[in-house]
Amino acid sequence: MTARQAPSLVGYVWRHSRREQIVLLTLTLISFPVVYLSLEIPKIIVNDVIDGGSFPVTLLGVSLSQIEYLLALSGAFLATVVIHNGFKWLINVGLGMAGERLLRRMRYELADTVSRFPMKRLRVLRPGETIQSIMGEIEPLGGFFGEVIVTPVFQGGLLLVYLGFIFVQDVWLGLAAIAFYPVQTVLVPILQRRILRLNRQRAANARVLADRIGEIIETAPEIRAHATAPWHLAEIAGLLGANSRIRQAIFRRKFTIKFLNNFLNQLTPFLFYAIGGTLVIQGDLDFGALVAVLAAYKDLAGPWKALLGYGQRLSDFTSRYRFVLEGFQADDLMAAHDTAAQPTPAPPSRTEAQPGRGPLVLTGISADPAADRPALRHLSITAGERLVLSGARATGLESLLRIAAGIELSDGGTVTLGGQDLRDLPPVTAADAIGFVPASPRLATGSLRDNIAYALLRPPVGMPLPDFDAAPGSEPPDTAKAPGPDGAQWSRTATPEAAAALDVRIIDLAARLGLDQALQSVALERVLPPEEAEATAAVIVDLRARLAKADGADEGVLEGLVEPWDSGTVNANASLLANLLFALPATPGRAPEALLQDPSLRPILRRSGAEAFLLEIGLRIARSLAEVAASVGDSSRLLDRLGGFSRREILDSATIIRAFEASGRRSPKREDRPRLMALAAAFVPARDRLDVLDGPMRERLLAIRTGALPSIRRLESFVPLDAARYHPSLRVADNVLNGPRRHDRKSLWRRLDDRLIAAVAEQGLAERFLHLGLEASAGEAAQALPAQALRQIALMRVLLKRPSVVLIAGDGADLHPDATAGLLRLLASELPETAVVLASETPPALPETLLQGTDPGSETGSEPGSEMGLSIHRLAPARREDDEEDGRGEGTGDGAA
């Protein structure tokens, strides 16, 4: 939704909640007679009952005494109050629910608009400002959306009912009630217009502020490297100051309006008392009517103030609505995401070639010097061809591939696929036909398996857009889910059988690309969640025993690289808490500070002296960290590489020590003790290299362990570090090795991992560990995956969707163990009819027989060349990877014409 496409605020609400608005308006109109009765009944009680005439009276055929009549009317009055408040409850709940659905719809539409922005717009888009617009600036609209249509009718109707009742009693009192309405109606909008301008300024300032804060986070390494934090903070202070001044100006004007309204509203009772009292004294108005008028006016003030407030909010939110939409205006949006007509075919088998979709033709692609983009007069890529583009900078070549893939638009020229302009094709059609492997891929949220199958995410046939208007409890899921038990309907593998086949395919491709070892390394670094650990624990314990036996037969190849658990010694490569308890929590992921407050553990720590021990060690660590911070300065990058301590922990330790030493106390303050104990609990002597655990302290630690261990073993929430058990809080590698890897031999960890992976393969567990690696989250895997693994994952995405054209940024040497030639053989084997384009600054090293023809400056000998010295090398078809004839990898066929 863009500013041009969107209706007015009122029009937007009516378009998308017409049904709810009609229901709420009907309830509103029905409530008005009840409101009038609640005003009329008190007047009857005063005039006809309390100050009334003859009794008994007959009501609905029943004779009633004065007391009975009073009680009957009082009951009727109570019933009108209950009914009226019931209507208000229904209306308010309906308003809130309608507002929430409209807010959700608007956020979805804005996010959809961002997803369809052209790439040139996305490159300059500031995420902080965009997030602020979608989440922060329109948040207040959620509370107002439901009120836009119903509130003026409801409050205006109440106002008319109260005024009508007052005019029925006396015309002069009615005129007194509305005497100051014209003044308020004229003055308030004049003052409100200035507030609207200030609100726009405040919103613009808030966007810039959000972006600057995001910039501090994104550029933290540069800020710390150059010590420019004061400059950034000065800018933040200036923006905060401007924001404060704007808000103060808004407050002054808002309260001026409030003062004016309150003053004028209080003048009206003066007129009632003066005029109404005179009329009662003169006998022109009965006392009950005056009491009823005063009660009606008391109720009248509410709707009038609500209408004034509604007018102010309508102006404010209309301005906010337009201001937000202006930031999402674009004339060149990509086509809308059509979710209602997408096919979901099963992925073809390895031996089936996906049918060709026609040649990909680039014509008159214009250069963009700012993006270092080369220019092409003409290039046609047909099925089965393999080309290498070179002679320009990598950034320009990748930009050219993005244009060819339809990811971004060229400043001129056309790109056609099968004779159709790429811009006219539905995005899903172009994406299925063209596979693009960028130089620097990024992983999405989810597991590695989800990321590899990312290109297969397609909605089911006929799936509508999210139903924002459905009643609560009946609405379908409106968020895309990654492939899996709960989201398989979003992939082309909608059945368990197809999902299992996809897993087999992923594992096969990972092995052929050399990604399998990286995935097993990821598995080794994982701390498994309980559901995975339960199924894997026995396998890991068995592997531990087999590895220990094999290592003994190999004369201790692993000895010296691992420090095994020993209840009689301190393990220098394990945390201090693990050493104290010689056990770890049965539930992984608990922070040390929370763990130390565990109700079942804390009494044991206190009785055994572990609390005092941890506090003393924590003080020693904090002093050491404070000394380091004082010697290198708070902004030094050294603080980012100090053992396992974060910069925040180091600076917080320095603050605690300064306060402790300045106080002259014998022990730290109560609120600082948990942080110091947590610091000690996470301390690993060999990793953190602080001299805080001397000989006497080690003996004390072992004594505490001996005293506490029997009690710890009785706790179900902790698992002892026993060689015969699986430890849920340890990584897979530490479980298999039955001890942590030695930090003083970190340079040999790669060798250790290779030995573990080999042992996994020897025991026939490679596939199981591959699955464990695939189930790791992208964030969890980030540290264990090498850089080239991201490119291999991007290539696997392309291979799984089987496009008719594959575009690869770079020469592809990092995508296959046998470098570029091996990659080409793999592609020929997997996608024999697919065209392949490599874009590299320099031509890749290939056997001469693989190069069918090279003509710098021209696509073919007969076609015109590029305008920026772009060379296009046409390659001969490569043999498939499974071809075992002599001359494997060399070209044998003629190049494509």
Side-chain angles (χ1 to χ4, degrees), residues 484-773:
D486 299 325
Q489 71 274 16
W490 271 89
S491 79
R492 297 181 186 177
T493 57
T495 65
E497 294 78 11
L502 178 61
D503 270 7
V504 171
R505 178 97 169 94
I506 288 173
I507 290 173
D508 174 59
L509 284 176
R512 300 173 73 193
L513 288 171
L515 184 63
D516 50 348
Q517 286 203 343
L519 290 175
Q520 291 179 62
S521 293
V522 169
L524 292 173
E525 293 301 315
R526 293 190 65 196
V527 175
L528 300 181
E531 62 276 9
E532 291 185 42
E534 186 175 346
T536 311
V539 171
I540 291 176
V541 171
D542 181 61
L543 180 60
R544 177 195 301 165
R546 292 175 181 270
L547 183 64
K549 184 178 179 181
D551 193 50
D554 293 340
E555 298 182 355
V557 173
L558 303 183
E559 190 176 345
L561 300 180
V562 178
E563 185 171 7
W565 302 113
D566 184 345
S567 60
T569 62
V570 175
N571 193 312
N573 292 279
S575 71
L576 207 59
L577 186 62
N579 271 292
L580 271 172
L581 306 178
F582 208 69
L584 286 171
T587 303
R590 298 180 67 183
E593 193 164 344
L595 192 59
L596 294 173
Q597 302 303 316
D598 187 298
S600 62
L601 178 63
R602 196 169 180 184
I604 299 173
L605 295 178
R606 189 178 294 115
R607 287 196 306 269
S608 65
E611 270 195 356
F613 176 82
L614 287 172
L615 184 59
E616 186 174 343
I617 293 292
L619 267 175
R620 291 188 180 189
I621 294 172
R623 283 197 178 97
S624 298
L625 295 179
E627 291 172 5
V628 173
S631 63
V632 302
D634 290 354
S635 60
S636 173
R637 299 188 70 175
L638 178 64
L639 301 187
D640 296 321
R641 304 188 300 272
L642 192 60
F645 303 106
S646 68
R647 174 181 288 270
R648 174 51 50 202
E649 286 176 323
I650 296 170
L651 297 180
D652 284 351
S653 297
T655 302
I656 290 172
I657 292 301
R658 284 196 296 267
F660 174 52
E661 293 178 347
S663 68
R665 297 165 53 96
R666 298 185 61 183
S667 63
K669 291 188 294 186
R670 182 180 297 274
E671 58 268 26
D672 290 334
R673 292 175 189 172
R675 294 159 71 186
L676 291 170
M677 291 170 61
L679 201 65
F683 173 68
V684 178
R687 179 195 67 191
D688 300 330
R689 297 179 178 274
L690 297 179
D691 190 17
V692 297
L693 197 64
D694 53 22
M697 293 300 283
R698 286 173 180 264
E699 292 177 5
R700 184 176 165 191
L701 184 154
L702 292 174
I704 292 172
R705 177 195 294 178
T706 302
L709 192 56
S711 300
I712 296 293
R713 288 185 178 276
R714 287 194 291 269
L715 296 179
E716 294 184 359
S717 56
F718 284 82
V719 177
L721 294 169
D722 189 336
R725 301 187 64 175
Y726 173 82
H727 310 302
S729 292
L730 291 177
R731 293 174 299 181
V732 170
D734 294 341
N735 263 294
V736 174
L737 295 169
N738 194 37
R741 290 170 284 194
R742 291 182 54 171
H743 287 273
D744 58 349
R745 304 285 179 87
K746 198 165 186 177
S747 60
L748 299 176
W749 280 14
R750 180 68 253 179
R751 174 187 167 192
L752 190 58
D753 285 354
D754 290 343
R755 179 68 183 88
L756 285 175
I757 292 171
V760 166
E762 289 166 6
Q763 301 304 319
L765 300 172
E767 186 171 331
R768 176 60 188 150
F769 273 71
L770 280 172
H771 281 287
L772 290 178

Side-chain angles (χ1 to χ4, degrees), residues 474-491:
S474 65
E475 52 192 316
D478 53 32
T479 54
K481 295 181 181 178
D486 299 325
Q489 71 274 16
W490 271 89
S491 79

